[in-house]
Amino acid sequence: MKISRNLYVRVALSIAFVAVLVSMISSVFSYYTGLQEKKNTNYLLVQQLGQTIAKGAAISAYVVDIELGQEIVNGLVSNDLVKGVILKGEAAMLIEEGIVNGQQDSIVINLFHPFIPDSSVGTLTLFPDDVYIQHQAQKSVKKEIGIMLSHSIIIAFFVSLVVHRWLTRPIQNLTDSFAMIDPSVPETMQMLKVRSGKHDEIGKLTVGINSLMQELHLTISNERALREKTQELESKFRLIFEQASAGICLLDEQNMITTFNPAFERYFTAPAQQRLASLHFPTLLNDVEKLQELLHSIRLDSTSSQITLDIECRVGDKSMWLHCLFAKLTDQRAIGRDSQSNLVEVILHDVTERAEREFQTRFEADHDALTHLLNRRSGEKKLHKALFDSLKKQHHLVLMMIDLDKFKPVNDTFGHEAGDKVLIEVSRRLTSRFNRVSDICIRWGGDEFIVGRQFDEFDHELVKQQANDVLSDIMKPIYITEYEQCEIGASIGIVVGPQHGKVLHELMVNADNTMYQVKDKGRGQVAFYQKPY
């Protein structure tokens, strides 16, 4: 592989560079130290040469033999190491040969008497040839340096071969084998070949890589299988999510819709619209504040994770009822980070038809089929609750027991259908007077009615006036047909709770007795209950 070959070249060049650099540094050091050593050695040779002929020179100086002295001097000058010689002896004997002027370095040898020790007879001064000595020293040192560099290059070459054999080539083979592996294709993840009998670092590295690849191969295989399974499940769940008939959405902490399916969009998109009117979920339904409180309580309640509720909403001109399932979701990814997601899942079903049937059934169960007032059973429940609230809040509950007068002749004269019309009209007139949310209108039975109203403060005259107004409404003519009409009256007995009774039965008995007292006194009157003394 190119990278491995570049590694080998870089390693070889690095070894050669280091070897040459070390050799050059050593050569420079050797040059200067060797040059001085060679110079000192040549000076020592010149001195030894002078010592060798010192005895002959001493005899020449002692006997003042010029010829002998000249031969000695000539012989010394003929040596390449000697540039000049001066021989001084007895009787002003002076022999000079060669270049002796301007020479700084010289070797002076004392000449002693042949027969008398320690008695000087003259001197022999030798002047070394510095130029020649310097040249010879340089030549010798350069030769040694060349040999040293040659040895370094040869050593670097063989070291490079050894490094290539034992390091870079195994790494190259390992890299080439590793380059053939494609993690995206597990079939290419074959075990790398380990050199037989090798337990060095390269072999251990190969074993480690094989172990790592084996784990990686297993991990990739498992991950691929898991991904395929996840994709299959995701496809199924997405199909369920998109094709579900129920509306599904997710709400974040601000109750904003983050995800919704097509069914959810169909529920809340009017025919003239192309998208949801709002992504703030509570505003899509009626009673926004109540719904926001409910969602807040769901997130805070740790004991219950699901709540179901039927909610009415209006989309365009259409009103409908939705059965909603609210489920608190926990994001598992947030576990361990001291926080949890506050997502809420909402699943909706259109239950408008069922709700209307239930309302109709409940209405029919609680109301009189003819007049649509509360029937006796449901009316008693309402009265019990109203009396309880009055006792609790120290308010007053006024009940009017109303019995129609001259109703039987209507049935006898015009028939029961006419009687039914009379009852319906009376009911309408009662509800037009008692139309507060807390007011109670009941068809107690036959031609008997009960109305109830709560007061914070009881005003006898006001209640009496209201009763007389009701009596006047009832006494107005009622059309049976387009051309026929009838007139009826009523007797009204009034009781006030809790003054006239702290339980409903007591109030009803007192009201009934008061109403019959009115009938006994001539009908068509209003009377309040009087406690007996």
Side-chain angles (χ1 to χ4, degrees), residues 422-477:
V422 169
L423 293 175
I424 293 172
E425 180 61 21
V426 169
S427 299
R428 185 191 66 78
R429 295 176 182 181
L430 288 176
T431 54
S432 66
R433 287 283 179 182
F434 294 88
N435 52 14
R436 297 179 185 176
V437 176
S438 60
D439 287 345
I440 302 172
C441 294
I442 308 170
R443 183 185 180 188
W444 196 249
D447 57 351
E448 287 186 340
F449 299 87
I450 292 179
V451 294
R453 173 170 285 183
Q454 291 178 309
F455 292 89
D456 295 342
E457 297 293 337
F458 175 66
D459 186 337
H460 183 276
E461 292 302 322
L462 175 63
V463 172
K464 183 178 180 181
Q465 181 61 44
Q466 289 178 347
N468 285 324
D469 290 341
V470 169
L471 186 60
S472 298
D473 289 341
I474 295 174
M475 294 174 66
K476 291 178 181 179

Side-chain angles (χ1 to χ4, degrees), residues 129-185:
D129 190 345
D130 290 335
V131 176
Y132 177 78
I133 291 173
Q134 182 80 9
H135 177 71
Q136 290 298 108
Q138 290 178 347
K139 183 177 180 181
S140 176
V141 170
K142 288 180 180 179
K143 182 178 180 181
E144 292 177 1
I145 290 175
I147 294 173
M148 185 184 297
L149 289 173
S150 300
H151 288 171
S152 298
I153 292 173
I154 294 172
I155 291 172
F157 174 73
F158 283 104
V159 169
S160 299
L161 291 178
V162 172
V163 169
H164 178 63
R165 172 67 177 82
W166 298 104
L167 182 61
T168 57
R169 189 168 71 182
I171 291 177
Q172 176 181 344
N173 295 335
L174 185 62
T175 306
D176 291 341
S177 300
F178 200 73
M180 298 174 63
I181 297 174
D182 184 0
S184 62
V185 183

